[in-house]
Amino acid sequence: MRYSVVLFCLLATISPRYSKTEGLFSRIAKLAAGNKKNSSDGATTDKNGESSSLAGIPTATLSNGEKMPLVGIGVGNMIPDVIPAIVSHGMKADRNIRLIDTSNVSSNEELVAQGIVDGTKQLLEKGEITATNKVEMHVVTKVWYTHLGYNRTMIAAKSSLDSLKEAIDHPNVDLKIHLMLHWPRCFGDVSWMNCEEEEENLPDEVKRAGPPPHTDPMNAWKESWKALEVLFKDDSNPVASIGVSNFHLNDLTELEELATIQPHVIESNAWSFLYDPMLIEHCHKKGIHMVAYHIMDSIIHKADAAPFAYHHLLLIANDLSKVMKSRGLLGEKEELTPAQVVLAWLVQHSISVAPRTTDLYHLRENSATAIAKIPIMNDRQVQTVAHSVEALISGEDVTEDAFVKLTFHARTKDIFLYWHDPEYGGEIQVAKIAKGEVFEESSHPGHTFRVYDSEEKENMEVVTVDGKYGEHKHIEL
């Protein structure tokens, strides 16, 4: 069955029961339907009632009225020496990255602040802002599970604020901090979490501030939330929102019952969109903004596990590239990547993304400027990306591959068409095409066919497929 027929049937029959639970697309669509506040207008007010500007940058509006950029950089566990340069390069006008995702345990907040200041200086030097302008920057940082408990959380928060002080105090930087609890607790059954060992290695100041949180794992975080509420209410610091990371639904609902300020943001692993549907639904209902992490590791870097799904992403990338080239938004030799397609898909559904990279080309490729240029996907494209992402996360590939459609035309003589296997060097006869007849085949970019004018394989001609997924190539022979 041809791909186009399968896709038509798939789209015609899609329902909330498409996958293991209710389907990735339906969950994302629900989230977007009630929370599609993403824009690039950039006009709003902060918690102090002052105006804020993120003109031309995709943003989401949080439940407290603050705007949060939808595209950023993740620098957690990044090589320290490169962080200032990556942050400052990301701030350039042709990238417009205004969101940095890190954590207190990463011990790099001071380097983030340095990068923000360096980036601001570069914008000033190039005349892209004036001495009276402020660059609005957003930093997500998190309190590690060793610092759960009211006083310990206050120590961690003070450490973060002190580390970011260079950027906070800079006259041309308007820094907004999104402060989260990194984990609800230290889990003893998680191999890389060493609860007692980490406790033992803490500074005495932290140990004296409160009991070890792993001795009361179900309650320590509750006191931490009270600390975040105090910090958010304090207008003397730049905490623009408070939230949680890696919280499951039961902890999140318990938090909401005791909170005087509801969480504005939750950060979750990309696989949550597939395996924790109730969390997605709950965030949609409560207006909690979602930030996705591990996008590359959970999706794009799993192409070998679901090659058909990855080919479908390439097909969508090709479709969108054509539209962008027709509008002058993409160079003739440039092409969108599957990574850009997935990032745009999430951003267009008002989910913030902060992929990590130390590669300047990828930094530009996945920047706010680049992602904002990608056209809004139509329903077919949205569903295709959703099913492909689901397949890549789960490792259960979609049933039908994407193809380049080929039409071979035997114009002047009978021909014998063979497909060549580059790995093993063999070839398989595909068809005999009589003079004046055509033959249609589906193939992949880079595949090779050999054409002979007799069964004795004389006068060989080599045809290499140079099309892109979704294209139709006519080959005259």
Side-chain angles (χ1 to χ4, degrees):
M1 185 182 293
R2 294 296 185 189
Y3 161 71
S4 58
V5 177
V6 175
L7 180 59
F8 175 80
C9 295
L10 174 64
L11 298 182
T13 59
I14 186 171
S15 75
R17 293 177 295 278
Y18 171 76
S19 69
K20 302 171 184 61
T21 50
E22 74 171 308
L24 178 61
F25 168 69
S26 58
R27 296 199 294 275
I28 294 292
K30 282 184 177 182
L31 179 66
N35 195 31
K36 256 196 175 177
K37 301 172 183 175
N38 52 309
S39 69
S40 337
D41 296 332
T44 187
T45 58
D46 62 18
K47 70 175 184 178
N48 297 319
E50 298 175 357
S51 73
S52 165
S53 177
L54 289 168
I57 297 170
T59 61
T61 304
L62 306 183
S63 59
N64 65 342
E66 288 276 1
K67 283 201 172 182
M68 184 173 185
L70 287 167
V71 182
I73 313 168
V75 299
N77 302 321
M78 185 179 285
I79 300 169
D81 291 347
V82 306
I83 290 174
I86 288 294
V87 171
S88 61
H89 276 281
M91 291 174 62
K92 289 184 176 182
D94 62 344
R95 295 169 177 83
N96 265 334
I97 293 173
R98 297 292 182 265
L99 174 67
I100 314 298
D101 186 15
T102 187
S103 64
N104 185 255
V105 75
S106 295
S107 300
N108 61 21
E109 293 157 314
E110 191 170 346
L111 297 173
V112 169
Q114 181 185 332
I116 291 172
V117 170
D118 291 347
T120 302
K121 289 177 179 177
Q122 291 170 14
L123 292 173
L124 282 165
E125 289 169 1
K126 293 185 177 181
E128 289 163 352
I129 62 170
T130 68
T132 59
N133 293 145
K134 286 195 172 188
V135 179
E136 183 173 321
M137 291 296 298
H138 292 246
V139 173
V140 172
T141 193
K142 312 170 198 78
V143 176
W144 195 239
Y145 53 72
T146 54
H147 286 64
L148 295 176
Y150 186 92
N151 290 329
R152 287 191 178 205
T153 293
M154 282 297 193
I155 290 173
K158 183 179 185 302
S159 171
S160 294
L161 291 169
D162 287 347
S163 296
L164 292 165
K165 186 173 175 56
E166 184 182 5
I168 293 171
D169 292 345
H170 195 281
N172 296 106
V173 176
D174 179 14
L175 189 68
K176 296 179 181 292
I177 297 173
H178 304 274
L179 187 58
M180 301 183 185
L181 303 183
H182 208 147
W183 291 88
R185 61 189 59 85
C186 179
F187 293 93
D189 57 350
V190 176
S191 61
W192 56 265
M193 287 186 173
N194 303 302
C195 309
E196 294 183 5
E197 182 181 340
E198 290 182 73
E199 175 67 26
E200 182 64 29
N201 292 331
L202 288 173
D204 289 340
E205 177 197 9
V206 178
K207 293 178 182 178
R208 290 194 298 268
H214 70 275
T215 62
D216 189 14
M218 303 308 293
N219 295 297
W221 63 264
K222 298 175 184 177
E223 294 303 310
S224 291
W225 187 257
K226 292 179 182 178
L228 295 196
E229 290 179 328
V230 170
L231 290 162
F232 177 74
K233 292 175 182 177
D234 183 357
D235 292 339
S236 68
N237 67 57
V239 176
S241 77
I242 53 177
V244 294
S245 174
N246 300 303
F247 269 51
H248 294 303
L249 182 59
N250 55 338
D251 288 322
L252 185 59
T253 53
E254 190 173 1
L255 184 156
E256 291 167 350
E257 289 173 2
L258 62 87
T260 60
I261 298 174
Q262 296 298 309
H264 307 113
V265 185
I266 184 169
E267 185 165 318
S268 294
N269 194 307
W271 59 257
S272 296
F273 296 108
L274 178 59
Y275 295 114
D276 204 348
M278 299 303 292
L279 177 67
I280 306 298
E281 177 70 10
H282 183 84
C283 291
H284 157 65
K285 288 181 177 178
K286 297 290 186 176
I288 303 172
H289 179 63
M290 298 198 72
V291 180
Y293 73 90
H294 272 181
I295 298 167
M296 299 302 174
D297 288 343
S298 297
I299 303 173
I300 298 302
H301 293 166
K302 291 189 173 181
D304 291 345
F308 290 5
Y310 191 76
H311 293 161
H312 283 294
L313 292 180
L314 284 168
L315 185 152
I316 300 300
N318 182 43
D319 288 348
L320 294 172
S321 294
K322 290 178 180 177
V323 174
M324 293 179 70
K325 289 177 182 180
S326 71
R327 298 175 181 175
L329 298 174
L330 199 64
E332 279 304 312
K333 294 185 178 180
E334 293 181 298
E335 299 291 339
L336 291 182
T337 67
Q340 288 175 298
V341 170
V342 172
L343 293 174
W345 172 73
L346 290 166
V347 165
Q348 289 177 16
H349 287 90
S350 199
I351 296 170
S352 288
V353 297
R356 184 175 62 187
T357 184
T358 57
D359 184 295
L360 293 182
Y361 181 80
H362 288 157
L363 184 68
R364 179 177 175 273
E365 190 176 68
N366 298 331
S367 68
T369 298
I371 299 303
K373 289 179 181 178
I374 297 176
I376 298 297
M377 298 181 201
N378 60 38
D379 289 346
R380 176 190 65 81
Q381 292 167 335
V382 167
Q383 294 183 39
T384 300
V385 175
H387 300 332
S388 299
V389 168
E390 185 164 6
L392 287 160
I393 291 176
S394 68
E396 299 176 14
D397 209 352
V398 296
T399 56
E400 285 289 321
D401 204 351
F403 299 105
V404 180
K405 185 177 180 181
L406 305 174
T407 298
F408 294 93
H409 182 202
R411 189 174 50 180
T412 60
K413 57 187 175 183
D414 296 348
I415 61 170
F416 295 82
L417 182 67
Y418 288 77
W419 176 76
H420 172 63
D421 185 342
E423 184 174 358
Y424 298 104
E427 57 185 26
I428 301 171
Q429 184 170 345
V430 176
K432 176 184 177 182
I433 311 174
K435 177 182 176 180
E437 298 295 320
V438 297
F439 175 77
E440 292 192 345
E441 179 63 292
S442 296
S443 189
H444 297 273
H447 276 200
T448 300
F449 291 85
R450 290 177 174 176
V451 180
Y452 302 94
D453 59 8
S454 71
E455 290 187 272
E456 287 73 32
K457 298 185 178 181
E458 297 176 348
N459 301 321
M460 182 183 74
E461 180 180 351
V462 176
V463 176
T464 300
V465 180
D466 63 354
K468 301 180 181 66
Y469 286 106
E471 291 184 343
H472 186 176
K473 293 288 183 176
H474 293 266
I475 302 167
E476 301 290 333
L477 300 167

